[in-house]
C-alpha cells in the first residue's frame, strides 16, 4: 500500500493523513481547544530518557516481552488496542480489520461503543483470523519458549442515562465474549473541539450507526450509584477509563474496581489536563500494584511503551497509532503498526539491558 516501506508510526501517519478526507483527518487528529494536552501527551513522554545497563545477557532466548500478569494472565506484549470511534471512516473493513490484525498476533483489543461494526462481528472476525494463522505459535511469540496467548476482547462504553439501554449493551457484550468493560468517565460533556464547532462532524450516511453509538455518558452518574449497579448486572471485569487524579485512583480501589485506565481521551476532552505520563506515577503510588493500571495517550513508539511501564503501567493502549495503520493500509497497515511497536519495544528492552518487564522500573528512566 506504499511505495516506500513504512518503518515507523510516523511513516504510517504521513500516508494516512495524505489519504484521508479533510473532515476525517480533523476528527482523528484533533483534540480539544488549543490542543495543549494533546501535544503534551507526546512531548512529556519524550522528556524521559532510558538509561541503559550493559553486560546483561540479552540473548534472543532470554528476552521475554510479555506483560505482567493481568488478572492472572500474561499478555503476549504489554500493549493493546485503545477503543476509538468509527473505524470505517478510515476505509477498509474498519473495526473488523483492526480485530483481524490484533487477533493474528494475540494482541488484545478494546472496542469503542461508537463502533461502525457490530460488537459480535468484531470478535468473530478476530477469532476467525487467528484460527487461520498456521505459523508456529511459539515462534510467533518471539522464540522465548512461551506459547502465544489468545487476544482478549474488552468493550468500552459510556453509561447512558437510559440505564436499560446500557444494561442491554453490557449483556450483549458479555454474551459475545468480551471479558472486561472499560467505562469511560471523562466525557460527561463533549470537549470543545474547534474543528467540530466550526463544522459539526457527521457520520457519512453509508456507515452504520450501531446501537452503542447512541449512548452518551450520563453527566449525573457518580461513584456510589454506578459501581454497585454495574456489579449487579455483570460478571465482567470493570475498569474506569479516564482516571487522572490520585484521589480518584484511591476511590477506584475503595469501590473495588478491577482496574483503571490512566487517560485524557487523547487530549480530546479537558484541554489543560495533565499529560497522561505525568499523571501516571501519582496514580501508581496510590494503586501499589493492587489492580492493573492501563495507560494511553501519545504512544507512538516502542520506547513510549517502555516509559509507561517504567512509571507504573501494566498495559499500554494504542489510539491514533492504530488508526494511522488502518487508514494507511487496512488490516495490513494495522498489522504493520503493531509489528513496528513490538519490534521497537523488544529492541529497547535489549538495548536497555532488561530481559523482562518486571525489571522495567522508575530507576531505569531519567527526566531531562
Ligand atoms: C478516541 N478515544 C475514545 N475513547 C473512548 O473511551 N471512547 C471512544 O469512542 C473514543 N473515540 C476516539 C476516537 C478517536 C478518533 C480518538 C483519536 C480517540 C480515546 C482513545 O481511547 C484513547 O484514550 C486515545 O486515543 C489515546 O491517545 P492516542 O494514543 O491517540 O494519543
Amino acid at each position: 500500500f506504499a511505495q516506500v516501506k513504512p518503518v515507523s508510526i510516523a511513516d504510517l501517519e504521513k500516508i494516512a493523513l495524505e489519504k484521508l478526507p479533510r473532515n476525517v483527518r480533523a476528527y482523528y487528529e484533533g483534540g480539544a481547544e488549543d490542543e495543549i494536552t494533546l501535544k503534551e501527551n507526546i512531548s512529556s513522554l519524550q522528556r524521559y530518557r532510558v538509561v541503559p545497563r550493559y553486560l546483561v545477557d540479552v540473548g534472543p532466548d532470554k528476552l521475554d516481552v510479555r506483560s505482567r500478569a493481568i488478572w492472572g494472565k500474561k499478555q503476549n506484549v504489554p500493549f493493546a488496542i485503545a477503543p476509538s470511534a468509527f473505524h470505517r471512516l478510515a476505509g477498509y473493513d474498519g473495526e473488523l480489520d483492526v480485530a483481524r490484525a490484533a487477533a493474528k498476533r494475540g494482541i488484545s483489543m478494546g472496542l469503542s461503543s461508537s463502533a461502525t461494526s457490530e460488537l459480535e462481528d468484531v470478535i468473530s472476525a478476530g477469532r476467525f483470523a487467528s484460527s487461520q494463522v498456521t505459523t508456529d505459535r511459539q515462534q510467533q511469540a518471539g522464540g522465548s519458549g512461551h506459547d502465544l496467548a489468545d487476544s482478549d476482547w474488552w468493550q468500552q462504553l459510556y453509561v447512558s442515562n437510559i440505564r436499560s439501554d446500557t444494561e442491554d449493551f453490557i449483556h450483549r457484550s458479555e454474551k459475545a465474549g468480551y471479558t472486561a468493560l472499560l467505562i469511560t468517565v471523562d466525557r460527561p460533556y463533549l470537549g470543545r473541539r474547534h474543528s467540530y464547532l466550526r463544522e459539526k462532524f457527521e457520520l457519512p450516511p453509508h456507515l452504520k450507526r450501531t446501537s452503542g453509538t447512541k449512548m452518551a455518558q450520563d453527566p449525573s452518574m457518580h461513584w456510589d450509584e454506578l459501581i454497585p449497579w454495574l456489579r449487579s448486572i455483570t460478571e465482567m471485569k470493570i475498569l474506569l477509563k479516564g482516571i487522572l487524579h490520585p484521589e480518584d485512583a484511591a476511590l477506584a480501589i475503595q469501590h473495588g474496581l478491577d482496574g483503571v485506565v490512566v487517560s485524557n481521551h487523547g487530549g480530546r476532552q479537558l484541554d489543560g489536563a495533565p499529560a497522561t505520563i505525568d499523571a501516571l506515577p501519582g496514580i501508581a503510588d496510590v494503586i501499589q500494584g493492587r489492580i492493573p493500571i492501563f495507560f494511553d495517550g501519545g504512544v507512538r513508539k516502542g520506547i513510549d511503551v517502555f516509559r509507561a511501564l517504567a512509571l507504573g503501567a501494566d498495559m499500554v493502549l494504542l489510539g491514533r497509532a492504530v488508526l494511522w495503520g488502518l487508514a494507511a493500509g487496512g488490516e495490513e497497515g494495522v498489522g504493520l503498526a503493531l509489528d513496528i511497536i513490538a519490534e521497537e519495544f523488544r529492541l529497547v528492552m535489549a538495548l536497555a539491558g532488561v530481559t523482562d518487564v518486571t525489571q522495567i522500573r522508575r530507576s531505569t528512566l531519567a527526566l531531562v
Side-chain angles (χ1 to χ4, degrees), residues 27-28 82-85 112 114 156 158 184 241 263 265-266 268 296-300 318-320 323:
Y27 177 71
Y28 279 1
S84 62
S112 168
S114 305
Q156 175 272 331
Y158 298 108
T184 303
K241 176 171 182 285
S263 173
H265 216 112
R268 297 160 77 83
D296 71 33
V299 177
R300 303 288 182 272
L318 309 172
R320 291 180 184 83
L323 293 176

Side-chain angles (χ1 to χ4, degrees), residues 132-202:
Q132 300 299 98
V133 177
T134 49
T135 19
D136 184 307
R137 287 170 80 78
Q138 276 208 12
Q139 189 192 334
Q140 241 190 320
S144 53
H146 311 288
D147 279 335
L148 196 74
D150 286 331
S151 308
D152 289 322
W153 306 92
W154 304 318
Q155 177 69 61
Q156 175 272 331
L157 76 145
Y158 298 108
V159 173
S160 147
N161 61 352
I162 309 166
R163 291 296 148 94
S164 55
D165 285 357
T166 304
E167 186 169 343
D168 290 346
F169 188 77
I170 290 175
H171 287 150
R172 241 181 91 191
S173 307
E174 192 161 12
K175 189 158 168 254
Y178 292 81
T179 53
L181 290 173
L182 310 179
I183 307 286
T184 303
V185 295
D186 60 11
R187 227 191 81 163
Y189 300 96
L190 191 69
R192 277 181 73 85
R193 304 176 192 170
H194 286 171
S195 61
Y196 277 37
L197 295 173
R198 293 194 187 105
E199 181 187 359
K200 191 175 181 316
F201 182 79
E202 297 276 11

Side-chain angles (χ1 to χ4, degrees), residues 35-169:
E35 303 189 335
I36 310 272
T37 298
L38 172 74
K39 290 180 199 126
E40 267 191 16
N41 276 348
I42 293 179
S43 61
S44 293
L45 272 165
Q46 290 174 345
R47 278 170 27 237
Y48 285 96
R49 299 286 170 266
V50 173
V51 188
R53 300 293 305 274
Y54 297 117
L55 295 177
V56 174
D57 180 356
V58 291
D61 56 326
K62 295 291 181 339
L63 291 174
D64 181 355
V65 299
R66 292 175 305 164
S67 74
R68 291 188 196 110
I70 292 166
W71 310 308
K73 174 186 164 185
K74 291 187 180 198
Q75 302 275 323
N76 298 312
V77 285
F79 60 85
I81 314 268
S84 62
F86 308 147
H87 286 182
R88 281 177 202 264
L89 286 174
Y92 303 93
D93 281 344
E95 292 84 3
L96 304 188
D97 276 332
V98 174
R100 290 178 187 125
K104 282 184 182 171
R105 292 160 178 81
I107 290 178
S108 297
M109 175 171 177
L111 177 68
S112 168
S113 56
S114 305
T116 44
S117 310
E118 297 296 347
L119 59 94
E120 292 85 357
D121 298 342
V122 175
I123 283 212
S124 7
R127 289 191 171 151
F128 182 73
S130 80
S131 74
Q132 300 299 98
V133 177
T134 49
T135 19
D136 184 307
R137 287 170 80 78
Q138 276 208 12
Q139 189 192 334
Q140 241 190 320
S144 53
H146 311 288
D147 279 335
L148 196 74
D150 286 331
S151 308
D152 289 322
W153 306 92
W154 304 318
Q155 177 69 61
Q156 175 272 331
L157 76 145
Y158 298 108
V159 173
S160 147
N161 61 352
I162 309 166
R163 291 296 148 94
S164 55
D165 285 357
T166 304
E167 186 169 343
D168 290 346
F169 188 77

